[in-house]
């Protein structure tokens, strides 16, 4: 019997030779059809979910004291899941998949993302670059791996990444810790300073109209993104004055 052949996923990898057009031609045409009314039905569905969960949360104070903390945690997780649905809808607006009407896409995406404190146009532009350069070690805009030279480890032996990943990445606690860290710190830091993105010689904030992430003709849209965030912050501030900061933090935060 011949020895079992060992395949090296890096050395033996052969890039596919089909084009993007050939790949798209394999997808049924109806999958590219955009139905604005149906898209808005998903917005309404998720908004009803947000309202229902908020209504349920308004009755948590009626529960026995020992159950209130777990109930709030359950609310935060559930509301986060539903709000992520709205985030994804705005994401599709950025891709032009929500409606065939460009204005409908941008207005809807701007409103939804602004309500979630996401700079719609700013993220849309950087996300577009990410899709154009996915997995490119020098041109991708997010999840760029840190090279040995970046870390100053040129003369030190390498540790195969799979050794660490294979030990931890499939464990539930590791996943929970990573998701929590990414949600609480990773995502805000990505927007603020392009964490996990390429290392630029100057600022790379999604909130700065003059950021290296954007071209000159995109500055106006970045300002509109910032205006959306300021409006949301104003509403949250006013709500905190009316209801109390704690109430806003518990329901929105």
């Amino acid at each position: 019997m011949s020895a079992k052949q060992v395949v090296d996923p890096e050395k033996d990898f052969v890039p596919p030779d089909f084009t993007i057009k050939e790949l798209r031609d394999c997808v049924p045409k109806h999958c590219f059809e955009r139905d604005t009314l149906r898209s808005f039905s998903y917005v309404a569905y998720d908004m009803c979910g947000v309202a229902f969960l908020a209504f349920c949360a308004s009755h948590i104070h009626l529960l026995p004291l020992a159950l209130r903390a777990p109930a709030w945690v359950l609310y935060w997780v559930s509301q986060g899941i539903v709000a992520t649905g709205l985030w994804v809808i705005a994401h599709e607006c950025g891709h032009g998949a929500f409606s065939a009407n460009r204005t409908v896409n941008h207005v809807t995406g701007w409103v939804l993302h602004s309500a979630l404190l996401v700079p719609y146009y700013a993220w849309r532009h950087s996300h577009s670059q990410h899709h154009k350069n996915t997995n490119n070690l020098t041109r991708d805009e997010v999840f760029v791996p840190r090279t040995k030279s970046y870390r100053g480890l040129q003369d030190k032996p390498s540790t195969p990444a799979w050794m660490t990943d294979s030990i931890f990445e499939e464990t539930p606690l590791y996943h929970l810790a990573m998701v929590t860290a990414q949600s609480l710190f990773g995502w805000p830091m990505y927007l603020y300073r392009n964490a996990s993105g390429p290392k630029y010689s100057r600022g790379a904030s999604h909130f700065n109209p003059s950021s290296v992430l954007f071209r000159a003709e995109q500055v106006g849209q970045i300002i509109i993104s910032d205006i959306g965030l300021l409006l949301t912050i104003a509403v949250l501030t006013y709500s905190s004055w009316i209801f109390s900061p704690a109430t806003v933090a518990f329901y929105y935060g």
Side-chain angles (χ1 to χ4, degrees):
M1 297 179 63
S2 59
K4 184 177 180 180
Q5 184 179 6
V6 178
V7 177
D8 188 314
E10 295 183 1
K11 294 181 180 179
D12 299 330
F13 174 73
V14 178
D17 57 1
F18 53 80
T19 65
I20 294 180
K21 183 181 183 306
E22 291 174 336
L23 185 62
R24 286 175 63 91
D25 289 342
C26 295
V27 180
K29 293 186 182 300
H30 72 269
C31 292
F32 295 101
E33 296 176 358
R34 291 164 288 186
D35 187 332
T36 303
L37 185 60
R38 184 175 183 180
S39 295
F40 272 115
S41 72
Y42 296 136
V43 176
Y45 179 83
D46 283 345
M47 291 300 295
C48 287
V50 169
F52 173 74
L53 289 172
F55 173 78
C56 292
S58 68
H59 292 76
I60 289 178
H61 68 282
L62 300 176
L63 295 174
L65 185 61
L67 297 178
R68 293 179 190 177
W72 276 114
V73 172
L74 179 61
Y75 166 76
W76 294 330
V77 172
S78 302
Q79 193 69 285
I81 292 172
V82 176
T84 299
L86 291 171
W87 185 95
V88 171
I89 291 175
H91 163 274
E92 296 308 311
C93 290
H95 281 295
F98 184 85
S99 170
N101 187 298
R102 183 183 179 91
T103 300
V104 170
N105 279 319
H106 291 335
V107 171
T108 304
W110 178 79
V111 170
L112 293 178
H113 264 176
S114 295
L116 298 171
L117 292 177
V118 177
Y120 171 72
Y121 285 108
W123 182 80
R124 174 177 176 268
H125 291 312
S126 67
H127 188 63
S128 174
Q129 289 301 113
H130 161 64
H131 275 288
K132 293 175 182 176
N133 302 287
T134 302
N135 292 332
N136 188 302
L137 296 183
T138 59
R139 296 167 59 189
D140 201 345
E141 287 292 344
V142 67
F143 304 127
V144 177
R146 302 312 188 199
T147 62
K148 292 181 68 176
S149 60
Y150 178 89
R151 297 182 180 275
L153 303 174
Q154 298 93 323
D155 301 323
K156 297 184 179 181
S158 300
T159 300
W162 61 264
M163 285 188 177
T164 302
D165 293 342
S166 63
I167 294 174
F168 297 109
E169 70 176 359
E170 298 302 328
T171 60
L173 289 179
Y174 178 82
H175 268 292
L176 178 61
M178 292 301 294
V179 168
T180 302
Q182 180 176 345
S183 300
L184 295 179
F185 307 107
W187 170 244
M189 291 306 295
Y190 169 68
L191 294 178
Y192 176 67
R193 57 182 297 273
N194 206 40
S196 85
K199 183 179 180 180
Y200 290 108
S201 58
R202 58 188 178 92
S205 172
H206 284 74
F207 307 110
N208 183 2
S210 61
S211 170
V212 69
L213 295 172
F214 313 119
R215 300 190 301 271
E217 63 270 21
Q218 296 171 339
V219 170
Q221 292 184 333
I222 309 308
I223 293 175
I224 293 174
S225 293
D226 290 343
I227 291 174
L229 300 181
L230 291 174
L231 289 173
T232 299
I233 292 172
V235 171
L236 293 175
T237 301
Y238 179 74
S239 300
S240 297
W241 181 64
I242 296 296
F243 301 105
S244 82
T247 300
V248 172
F250 271 69
Y251 279 87
Y252 179 85

